[in-house]
Amino acid sequence: MKKLSLVFIVLVSFSILLRGASPGKIRGIIQDNSGLPLIGVNVLLEDTYIGGITDNDGNYIILNVPPGSYTLIVSMIGYETKKIVNVKVSGALSTILDVTLNQTVLEFGQEIIVMAEAPIIQKDLTSTEANISADQLEILPVTNIDEVLNLQAGMVDGHMRGGRSSEVSYLIDGIPITDVFAGNPSMLVENNIVQEIKVVSGTFNAEYGQAQSGIVDISTKDGSRKVTLKVSTLFGDYTSSHSSIFSNINEIAPFARIENTLFLSGPLLKGSTFILSLQRTADDGFLYGRNFFNPSVPSDSIAFGDNQSISMNDNKRTSLFSKITFNPSSANKYFVSILHQNKESSKYDHMFKWNPFGNSRYYESSQIIITNWNHMFTKNAFCNIKTSWINKSYNRYVFEDSTDSRYSTDDRLRQTPSLSFYTGGTDMAWFTRGTDIYIFKGDFTCQLNSIHQIKFGGGSKFYSLRLDDIKLKKNAETNYTIENPPPNTADNQHYVGIPFDFAAFIQSKSEYNNFILNLGIRLDYFDSNGEVIEDLSRPKTSLTRKAKPDIQISPRIGMAYPITDKGVMHVSYGHFFQVPSFEYLYANPSRTVNPEKGRATVLNYPFGNPELRSQKTVSFEVGLQQELSEGIGLDVTAYYKDIRNLLGTDLHTIAPGEDHSGIQYGRFINLDYGQVKGFTFALEKRPGTDGLGVNVDYTYQVVKGNASDPRTNLINNMKDPPVESAKQMIYLDWDQTHSLNTIISYCFSENFTTSIIGKIGAGQPYTPEAGEISTAISNSDRKPVKITFDCSGKYRIKFSRYEIEFYIKVFNLFDRLNEKLVYSDTGRATYTQALYRGGEAQGYNTKEEYYTRPDWFSPPRLILVGMGVGL
């Protein structure tokens, strides 16, 4: 501990606090037309302070280049000046650009302009990585970043290379924004503020931590040097021929989904720029119910509503982004970013289909403030110092006031007739949580010579977690007045957690002519600041002790080497650790059980475990990049992952003499394990003079483990009779053996572009049953194949000083019914044998209505049109 504290103090003292958005590098050789190297040539990125000078061998290196597209100016007295436009730079990678200058005498101001061609093969790539630029985002038929991520090879519904969805780390400008409570991003980043998305699905470098499956690093745009204004709107609705499944789908409303955006950028003061983006999105969704019953009724009563159609998966989102960048000198750059987002949504619950106002709504609010100082010590050394505050609140309730008299009696939902929707009543869950994260990060990068670069850094995160999870009471015992249960009981959970973590890394990169080597090692330290019970058989009376901190060391190695002048092999290997989502550390802090309502109720409230160890993945991959012809490249990668210490649960029995003795309760532990193996095949054709661009990627993948859900052991024990959990490896829920994604774009002219995305995915596993008996092996059968086509088009015209754009986007072009969930007796979502077994529905709905599950299908066809005006 003393050694770790000393390391922390030293790092903070020198302000070496993890990095911001990973800058890239431009390097190359400048020579004359006879092939001799030129010494002292000036190389500068236009409209920036960033540049370099060639050495005695004609080599130049430009460090600390933010991701984006640049114009490179190469000049020397007595030689022509070359201006190379459209030079693409990606985070943490090298753009190699060799230039030949001709000796000549040019008139003042005369220059040669050259269009840069990005190589189809990235020679210094030592693991699988995709970089999606702002230009690519604009032409794709996508509405948010999640849709872009699911187009990447090995990504299936948020699961990267077979890992659980919480195993991906999301960053904005190098700041991790993962919601540590649940494992998903704290906010949805809007497309229009993105400069580049870097997706690392392979063995990522040591600078990245707290992730097992991959990294999504989003770089935001900087302000422009001239005033830019753009206002746009996009609107439309869902339309489908499957009206027997989707209620209200034939009622077309042109503004059922609408997205309005304001984007403003430009200079602010001398040496500074700004960006302001405001976006409002409202989507009524495609899952509707009917206001057939009034939810606010006492026990045994029924009150009818107005029978109007009500959206049950609507979503409203307001996003604000502002960024101010200062460049007071060539050696210093500062920026401050503020991101704010509010979301309000509903989640479809089939039982509430005719009582939609009785279902809870969800309210989220996220704020992120990032400050960054980038300082160049010399042309070969720089540092980033960064701080951030992240706030996330998440609330679920029917009424904001937990004592609102409109809540029904707490037994009303249980009085629903057989095979019927709820005929009244309200969801009695009242849930709210909040997280504050204070981040101090930084790094130092030094180019030791033309070959070797070294980078090291560290950082700390301080957390504050707050949670209230209440099951409201309104019954005879409360005199039919809505009340909160007593604190620290099974129905009123409250806790405050203040964990802390620290990380340090060192990473080297050596770029030889025929060999690239990445070596790194990372230290992670996590302290939950929680209390652990010493005697698990006496949860209420046992002594407690402070949880031990978790310390992990992660080695990483990556190599790339050419096999021909147009082909590169890479091999990489690494250990990756991640602390489980924080909800599992602190759950049920009062360690209470409530056996009066049955075994299932007890097991629904497992105890948290502040001493959970980090989950571990050991990953290996080997790949080949090969240029087949000009503008056409092939990428083939094979990978293997061994996953240990995954989150699971076990059972403990309360000892004799204790309250509720003999009762079993659950507790989270490191138990589950998994294994992933597969390969990806990607073919890319860059748009050339023919205007045609094609990307095809195919993934074969096998994902196995002992459990898909950490609560599997508890769920099996809730059954009557209890079922023993699987002892063998089974296919996990998100295993998709075959995935094929195709993106085709075509540029008819400079002003008219179109694109289409086709996705085919093999059926994911499910557990079949015949009658009342399930098969012995879980997930032994497969759901139907999923096929989706999306398309978009953009047409641009110029009118005076204005630029006008027209858009159209169509999702699920052919209105295909893709089944996400299925009935276990048929393997289909469209029908079940239960329709022909048992009795009839006892309520107001029919049996056919009860078994029609629109939420088990992906969205039907969505058509959006819009326009934008900019200057």
Side-chain angles (χ1 to χ4, degrees):
M1 283 297 296
K2 291 182 179 179
K3 291 182 179 179
L4 286 172
S5 299
L6 179 61
V7 172
F8 173 69
I9 291 171
V10 170
L11 286 173
V12 174
S13 299
F14 283 94
S15 298
I16 305 302
L17 311 166
L18 256 178
R19 61 181 310 157
S22 301
K25 180 198 309 183
I26 303 175
R27 65 182 182 91
I29 299 175
I30 310 296
Q31 58 187 12
D32 63 16
N33 52 9
S34 67
L36 294 175
L38 295 176
I39 305 170
V41 179
N42 291 302
V43 186
L44 178 71
L45 295 182
E46 190 175 46
D47 293 330
T48 74
Y49 293 108
I50 305 173
I53 300 176
T54 58
D55 61 16
N56 292 336
D57 298 317
N59 295 308
Y60 73 95
I61 297 177
I62 305 177
L63 293 178
N64 198 26
V65 183
S69 181
Y70 296 90
T71 296
L72 186 74
I73 301 175
V74 183
S75 62
M76 184 178 182
I77 296 175
Y79 289 83
E80 63 187 10
T81 296
K82 274 194 176 179
K83 181 180 287 189
I84 305 169
V85 301
N86 198 37
V87 178
K88 304 289 186 182
V89 178
S90 295
L93 295 176
S94 296
T95 297
I96 302 175
L97 192 60
D98 298 333
V99 181
T100 299
L101 295 182
N102 295 316
Q103 192 170 8
T104 185
V105 177
L106 297 176
E107 296 181 6
F108 180 76
Q110 192 173 354
E111 59 190 6
I112 306 297
I113 298 178
V114 179
M115 178 68 70
E117 290 289 341
I120 198 76
I121 301 300
Q122 184 68 45
K123 292 187 176 180
D124 64 333
L125 205 61
T126 58
S127 65
T128 302
E129 179 178 315
N131 294 278
I132 302 102
S133 68
D135 294 338
Q136 291 172 298
L137 278 177
E138 282 192 11
I139 65 172
L140 290 175
V142 295
T143 58
N144 59 62
I145 287 175
D146 289 344
E147 295 170 3
V148 178
L149 298 181
N150 283 320
L151 293 174
Q152 308 309 309
M155 193 82 161
V156 177
D157 298 333
H159 299 268
M160 189 176 288
R161 282 197 178 175
R164 291 176 174 174
S165 58
S166 59
E167 294 178 9
V168 179
S169 179
Y170 295 85
L171 302 94
I172 295 179
D173 291 330
I175 289 292
I177 63 162
T178 303
D179 181 359
V180 293
F181 185 89
N184 50 9
S186 292
M187 68 166 54
L188 179 65
V189 180
E190 306 293 357
N191 291 3
N192 69 319
I193 69 170
V194 173
Q195 179 62 44
E196 181 188 66
I197 305 173
K198 181 167 76 170
V199 183
V200 187
S201 56
T203 51
F204 41 89
N205 286 342
E207 64 193 273
Y208 297 110
Q210 292 303 330
Q212 291 175 266
S213 293
I215 301 294
V216 177
D217 195 353
I218 302 168
S219 300
T220 60
K221 295 177 179 177
D222 281 337
S224 57
R225 295 185 176 272
K226 62 178 182 179
V227 175
T228 301
L229 173 64
K230 185 174 182 179
V231 180
S232 64
T233 185
L234 195 66
F235 54 88
D237 194 10
Y238 296 91
T239 175
S240 175
S241 60
H242 304 293
S243 57
S244 60
I245 294 175
F246 300 110
S247 304
N248 202 50
I249 199 69
N250 291 328
E251 299 297 324
I252 303 300
F255 300 101
R257 177 186 167 91
I258 185 166
E259 178 183 299
N260 295 319
T261 304
L262 168 67
F263 183 89
L264 179 63
S265 177
L268 191 61
L269 298 172
K270 183 178 180 181
S272 64
T273 61
F274 78 96
I275 282 181
L276 177 65
S277 173
L278 178 63
Q279 182 166 316
R280 170 68 174 172
T281 301
D283 185 354
D284 286 347
F286 61 95
L287 299 173
Y288 280 79
R290 292 165 54 191
N291 184 28
F292 197 88
F293 299 106
N294 185 344
S296 301
V297 292
S299 182
D300 297 324
S301 297
I302 288 179
F304 294 99
D306 58 12
N307 204 29
Q308 293 295 310
S309 293
I310 305 296
S311 172
M312 295 183 67
N313 72 324
D314 63 303
N315 188 304
K316 299 177 180 65
R317 184 176 75 248
T318 302
S319 303
L320 172 68
F321 171 74
S322 61
K323 183 177 184 179
I324 300 177
T325 304
F326 304 91
N327 284 103
S329 69
S330 60
N332 293 285
K333 178 181 177 180
Y334 305 87
F335 76 72
V336 178
S337 296
I338 299 175
L339 299 95
H340 173 81
Q341 188 170 88
N342 280 337
K343 293 174 66 177
E344 179 183 348
S345 63
S346 59
K347 296 182 180 179
Y348 183 88
D349 187 322
H350 192 59
M351 291 298 294
F352 281 98
K353 188 175 179 69
W354 284 10
N355 178 27
F357 291 121
N359 196 14
S360 289
R361 292 188 65 80
Y362 296 79
Y363 305 86
E364 300 178 52
S365 179
S366 305
Q367 289 74 229
I368 301 175
I369 299 177
I370 301 172
T371 66
N372 179 76
W373 172 39
N374 178 276
H375 177 68
M376 293 287 294
F377 294 99
T378 68
K379 67 175 183 178
N380 293 327
F382 67 93
C383 76
N384 277 297
I385 298 175
K386 192 173 284 282
T387 65
S388 180
W389 170 66
I390 302 174
N391 170 264
K392 172 69 179 283
S393 66
Y394 180 94
N395 307 288
R396 169 194 170 184
Y397 42 70
V398 178
F399 304 112
E400 184 175 7
D401 183 356
S402 63
T403 61
D404 196 304
S405 61
R406 289 174 292 176
Y407 276 105
S408 67
T409 54
D410 55 28
D411 64 344
R412 183 61 186 81
L413 296 181
R414 296 193 297 271
Q415 296 171 1
T416 301
S418 175
L419 301 178
S420 299
F421 303 129
Y422 290 142
T423 56
T426 52
D427 181 5
M428 303 304 284
W430 195 92
F431 179 91
T432 179
R433 66 174 173 88
T435 307
D436 286 284
I437 309 175
Y438 302 89
I439 302 175
F440 304 90
K441 289 188 157 190
D443 71 19
F444 176 82
T445 302
C446 181
Q447 187 74 35
L448 302 177
N449 51 43
S450 61
I451 295 175
H452 301 293
Q453 176 181 288
I454 191 168
K455 179 188 305 178
F456 62 88
S460 297
K461 296 194 285 288
F462 302 86
Y463 307 89
S464 175
L465 312 174
R466 306 166 302 282
L467 177 140
D468 286 284
D469 187 359
I470 300 172
K471 297 296 184 292
L472 302 175
K473 301 297 180 185
K474 186 177 183 180
N475 51 46
E477 293 180 2
T478 68
N479 199 24
Y480 293 101
T481 300
I482 190 72
E483 289 184 3
N484 296 338
N488 298 321
T489 60
D491 290 331
N492 189 340
Q493 296 290 321
H494 168 80
Y495 65 72
V496 175
I498 49 171
F500 159 82
D501 74 29
F502 165 77
F505 74 89
I506 184 167
Q507 180 79 41
S508 69
K509 183 177 183 180
S510 300
E511 298 179 86
Y512 300 95
N513 288 334
N514 296 313
F515 185 67
I516 306 294
L517 177 64
N518 272 312
L519 289 175
I521 191 166
R522 180 181 180 88
L523 167 71
D524 284 285
Y525 172 93
F526 176 78
D527 189 348
S528 67
N529 276 321
E531 296 290 326
V532 179
I533 54 178
E534 294 185 340
D535 186 350
L536 294 174
S537 68
R538 304 179 186 277
K540 291 297 287 186
T541 60
S542 171
L543 296 176
T544 62
R545 60 173 174 80
K546 189 179 184 302
K548 297 176 183 177
D550 183 41
I551 303 174
Q552 303 291 348
I553 296 177
S554 315
R556 319 278 173 86
I557 181 171
M559 297 177 288
Y561 49 94
I563 54 174
T564 68
D565 61 335
K566 295 184 178 180
V568 180
M569 289 281 294
H570 80 262
V571 179
S572 56
Y573 171 85
H575 290 225
F576 306 92
F577 294 92
Q578 184 179 16
V579 176
S581 299
F582 288 4
E583 65 172 305
Y584 304 114
L585 274 64
Y586 304 103
N588 199 347
S590 56
R591 305 187 295 277
T592 57
V593 296
N594 189 8
E596 290 78 10
K597 294 184 179 179
R599 179 184 179 86
T601 302
V602 176
L603 297 182
N604 267 326
Y605 292 92
F607 294 5
N609 184 355
E611 209 168 65
L612 286 170
R613 302 294 90 186
S614 290
Q615 303 169 115
K616 177 182 179 179
T617 294
V618 178
S619 180
F620 171 82
E621 74 169 51
V622 57
L624 166 69
Q625 296 180 78
Q626 179 68 47
E627 183 178 352
L628 302 179
S629 63
E630 185 177 355
I632 300 178
L634 172 70
D635 190 323
V636 181
T637 301
Y639 54 89
Y640 174 83
K641 293 167 62 176
D642 184 80
I643 311 168
R644 302 286 171 174
N645 282 349
L646 285 174
L647 194 69
T649 47
D650 63 356
L651 292 173
H652 297 273
T653 303
I654 299 177
E658 298 286 306
D659 288 343
H660 309 306
S661 64
I663 297 295
Q664 286 187 312
Y665 68 90
R667 180 173 181 259
F668 291 110
I669 61 169
N670 295 102
L671 174 70
D672 292 349
Y673 53 88
Q675 184 186 89
V676 182
K677 52 187 175 182
F679 71 86
T680 62
F681 174 96
L683 183 68
E684 178 185 6
K685 179 196 177 298
R686 295 261 178 92
T689 55
D690 59 358
L692 177 66
V694 180
N695 291 79
V696 179
D697 69 70
Y698 165 77
T699 302
Y700 172 83
Q701 182 172 263
V702 177
V703 184
K704 286 188 171 184
N706 68 308
S708 301
D709 188 331
R711 291 180 168 87
T712 295
N713 194 27
L714 302 183
I715 293 170
N716 288 339
N717 275 275
M718 291 181 199
K719 297 177 181 178
D720 188 17
V723 176
E724 185 176 2
S725 297
K727 299 296 184 182
Q728 74 273 35
M729 299 279 281
I730 62 172
Y731 291 105
L732 299 185
D733 289 350
W734 52 88
D735 175 67
Q736 188 167 287
T737 309
H738 305 282
S739 303
L740 177 65
N741 297 324
T742 302
I743 304 174
I744 300 174
S745 62
Y746 187 74
C747 182
F748 290 91
S749 66
E750 183 181 353
N751 297 322
F752 182 28
T753 59
T754 63
S755 63
I756 185 167
I757 295 174
K759 296 182 289 185
I760 302 176
Q764 295 173 346
Y766 78 98
T767 303
E769 68 176 31
E772 302 296 325
I773 303 175
S774 296
T775 59
I777 301 177
S778 298
N779 283 352
S780 58
D781 211 340
R782 295 280 168 166
K783 303 171 188 174
V785 171
K786 295 182 291 185
I787 303 175
T788 305
F789 288 91
D790 306 323
C791 64
S792 67
K794 183 173 75 170
Y795 183 72
R796 179 177 57 190
I797 60 175
K798 289 188 177 181
F799 179 74
S800 183
R801 48 194 294 250
Y802 300 98
E803 193 172 85
I804 304 174
E805 295 177 337
F806 298 92
Y807 325 106
I808 181 169
K809 296 184 179 184
V810 183
F811 302 90
N812 194 2
L813 177 65
F814 300 111
D815 193 29
R816 178 181 167 86
L817 282 175
N818 287 306
E819 297 160 74
K820 300 186 300 180
L821 297 174
V822 297
Y823 286 104
S824 59
D825 61 347
T826 63
R828 301 301 303 269
T830 49
Y831 66 96
T832 172
Q833 296 296 328
L835 273 171
Y836 313 107
R837 297 195 302 263
E840 294 299 316
Q842 302 300 308
Y844 290 80
N845 59 273
T846 66
K847 197 173 183 180
E848 288 75 13
E849 288 172 326
Y850 183 80
Y851 282 113
T852 300
R853 296 299 303 260
D855 54 322
W856 287 8
F857 297 90
S858 59
R861 183 191 297 115
L862 171 63
I863 301 175
L864 300 175
V865 296
M867 67 175 296
V869 179
L871 56 83

